[in-house]
Amino acid sequence: MALDAQYHAPGSMAAAFRPAGGDFLPDPIRVIRSMADEDIGFGDTAAVARSGQILVRVSEIAIPITGDLFGIETGEQLRVVGTPRIDLEGLEWTCAVELIG
């Protein structure tokens, strides 16, 4: 499947996953880490902010939630913030994340 190939291509990485309030899962998963521009309005002024995102397949994480944690192979830990969004086909989650260590 093309989606699986994407998760083994350059730009993807191995990650450990810990559900909020739980322990890290025993097996690593594959994720794609990206940065997205977000338009933020302040009255008559607008700004563009960069926000971190993790893409993860539904086949690996059925329903991510706020507070879940990804430990990526660079040694960084990223916490899910906000409500993850699923794509139109129901195959992939987009999770906004913040760096916590």
Side-chain angles (χ1 to χ4, degrees):
M1 183 193 295
L3 185 63
D4 290 336
Q6 224 179 327
Y7 279 84
H8 288 88
S12 68
M13 60 189 67
F17 178 76
R18 186 187 82 196
D23 296 321
F24 277 100
L25 300 182
D27 297 319
I29 61 170
R30 299 292 301 177
V31 299
I32 297 172
R33 182 180 183 188
S34 66
M35 298 294 287
D37 290 337
E38 182 179 346
D39 294 324
I40 300 173
F42 301 101
D44 294 335
T45 306
V48 177
R50 303 272 297 165
S51 61
Q53 295 183 333
I54 290 283
L55 305 176
V56 62
R57 292 173 287 188
V58 170
S59 62
E60 294 197 283
I61 304 298
I63 304 175
I65 61 169
T66 300
D68 286 349
L69 190 70
F70 292 94
I72 59 175
E73 63 186 19
T74 61
E76 297 171 303
Q77 292 191 350
L78 303 163
R79 182 182 2 219
V80 176
V81 294
T83 303
R85 298 179 319 273
I86 197 163
D87 69 349
L88 291 174
E89 293 83 20
L91 299 174
E92 182 177 53
W93 289 101
T94 300
C95 304
V97 294
E98 65 180 356
L99 180 64
I100 60 166

